[in-house]
């Protein structure tokens, strides 16, 4: 049976700051540069979630993308959109909100809720030129 | 010898409707929602075909992209562009034209004709936010 | 006081066919080519609506874009999305659904409902390469 | 002599919040919704600056785009990038950082420094779907 | 009767170099920097041609975009694509191929051949961040 | 520990020509068509470099993208931007500058300098529709 990869793209806007509170301000400025800017900055994040599975012969769907969008919306977007990723998001508590850490955290938020297909990739565009992808713990 | 992946992007416009004729109208409406709309709707489909192989030392090409474009054109675009995917396309007869089923059908249409490189991925953008990929029967 | 132009982009998917029922099939085929294809084809339409006005000093808004989006949604998208533009849309009855005719019809649908700002442009992308704009009856 | 319009696109990332400090928190929440979110949110802003003039016959340039980019960089980007638009930017002090107010403020920042051509438009993409343009005080 | 603006986007790839042969090499290097690089460089040019007119009530078209594309193809693309803009294009002989000079030259190439609608804008994207537009000799 | 893929996108403009000097002019014209055009043509190349590794718990970074950008800049962009890929670039001497050969050459230029993460993919967009990827010598 054929395996097909299905991707849904979403977006959200958020503020963040790269800062490791266990380190000195000096270390943070030297390490993160302007991404450590004290009063935050922000991004239009583009999020791509990919699920793989065999299309159901009755529907031609690996998974109804409306169901996938609902999981993305409830588990990630509703919690992150128009938020401060350092301060406002319970599942990011204690996480430095680098794109790398965000995709791993998003995976853990969504993976248990995806039925039918198997989550196989989460991509996050922080800017048009910086992209991060997590493919699970291989 | 290095293996290189070469991708050619094309597009076509078509009408379709998600509908399983072996099921009731009620089941179809409940399952496919507005994608089951009786008088069709349509898309600007973007199609990405990827071939992998070793570049020929005389040309630097895995495969002349003009040859690949000719296969995409003759085997898929000429048959699907400005068509109704449920009614007009012989190789889709009996297929529910979900993006998942389309990429598998497109693979079967093109794969036997690709020489030099090996077909390795077909991606189909149904909208800017919904994408499907088939990588063959692994 | 400064005049500022505010644009909201939306999209919808629809089927259509270019066909003038007062003319022969031959004339239609010769005039519209594959856009006259009998079983319809379709597009992902991108719609840009621009309003001009003075920003309100209390809000910094020419017009709340959520209000503009609501008008676009109720007057155009809800009626056209996943529809057949020749058969399903009351306000397009008797209209050949060329992009030119669509932007004029969309203007007439939305213009009376826009408050605060003044509608100044409607752009419609039928494909990535074909775009039409109406700026009102100057 | 021909008049030609020359546009340079740039971008910056910033945090902001829509909030009118002369109004109650309730009014702000009701007016701005999630854009009033207390701990800020942010955007990847895309900025387009257009200058019009006659091309210099010796260079074929209306204006060297490197000179225009320098003005955009020094007068806007260096002050706004990775900043909080409500707190960190001297020329936005007392301004509600709506896109409408930003384009007018950016105009006033840059217009006196542009030589050769005449500033004719500033466009700001707050998101891929929300765009604002200022064409000066006509 | 409504006036509608119709735009067709095309592209071509070409080499060029900014160089004024009536000036010294030193002046050229100081004025054009790396755009004066002696062995040429090149671009994927995106070209947008806009025509304005009243839609024909029999067709809903301001102008058949296939006819417009044919003019763009024959008068500009066939002569410029995969060419060296300084050496190979008869209608650019003696022109410094800055984007400003190109859009004016393209206007003169195409304007006499456009029937039905009136040419109103030519836009040329030299890169994703540098754009030039000519609206005719107002 | 999670493996995360980090991608940085860059661009450069260059002239080139597909030509195998060990073959006749006739063979070259027949093989490469207009890509063999004698006076060169050119492209806006988009380059995507992907590195994989475990995020550093102190920074949340696989690799500081500023460090990756520096390697891309120094090893590829500074040598190729506004150049003629057949004539001007020492590391491309004797290489037919097809996209396939370019990605392999870029890999060899950058791979030894990347620390922390492991280079895993280089993608090159020659045009919006033609893309090539190298994933190393598997």
């Amino acid at each position: 049976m054929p395996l097909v990869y299905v991707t849904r793209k979403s977006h959200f806007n958020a503020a963040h700051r790269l800062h490791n509170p266990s380190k000195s301000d000096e270390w943070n400025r030297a390490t993160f540069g302007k991404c450590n800017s004290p009063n935050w900055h922000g991004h239009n994040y583009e999020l791509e979630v990919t699920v793989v599975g065999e299309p159901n012969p009755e529907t031609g769907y690996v998974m109804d993308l409306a169901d996938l969008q609902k999981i993305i919306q409830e588990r990630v977007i509703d919690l992150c959109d128009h938020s401060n990723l350092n301060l406002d998001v319970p599942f990011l508590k204690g996480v430095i909100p680098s794109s790398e850490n965000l995709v791993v955290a998003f995976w853990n938020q969504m993976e248990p809720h995806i039925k039918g297909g198997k989550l196989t990739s989460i991509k996050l565009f922080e800017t048009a030129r910086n992209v991060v992808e997590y493919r699970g713990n291989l």
Side-chain angles (χ1 to χ4, degrees), chain A:
Chain A
M1 287 296 289
L3 285 176
V4 179
Y5 297 78
V6 183
T7 299
R8 177 70 185 173
K9 305 191 187 188
S10 311
H11 64 277
F12 61 94
N13 309 314
H16 82 154
R17 175 195 189 200
L18 298 185
H19 186 81
N20 183 337
S22 73
K23 299 281 185 173
S24 70
D25 283 1
E26 216 160 27
W27 182 93
N28 274 290
R29 269 194 302 274
T31 303
F32 295 120
K34 61 187 180 175
C35 298
N36 181 245
S37 187
N39 290 324
W40 324 98
H41 64 281
H43 298 289
N44 302 331
Y45 288 98
E46 291 283 332
L47 177 64
E48 299 188 3
V49 178
T50 303
V51 166
V52 63
E54 298 178 4
N56 179 329
E58 291 198 341
T59 59
Y61 282 167
V62 166
M63 182 180 178
D64 187 338
L65 282 182
D67 294 341
L68 181 55
Q69 179 60 36
K70 195 161 174 280
I71 294 166
I72 300 168
Q73 190 70 36
E74 290 178 359
R75 301 290 156 182
V76 174
I77 308 286
D78 283 351
L79 299 163
C80 295
D81 189 33
H82 283 78
S83 82
N84 182 309
L85 300 178
N86 301 62
L87 302 178
D88 297 337
V89 184
F91 75 83
L92 294 175
K93 214 181 153 73
V95 174
I96 301 170
S98 69
S99 294
E100 288 91 330
N101 287 344
L102 291 177
V103 284
V104 175
F106 293 171
W107 181 285
N108 295 334
Q109 271 296 102
M110 291 190 278
E111 198 272 336
H113 302 279
I114 292 172
K115 314 288 179 209
K118 196 167 131 353
L119 182 61
T120 187
S121 163
I122 296 181
K123 255 191 183 172
L124 187 68
F125 291 71
E126 192 183 68
T127 69
R129 302 221 161 257
N130 294 350
V131 196
V132 162
E133 185 185 14
Y134 183 48
R135 301 180 188 168
N137 215 333
L138 305 174

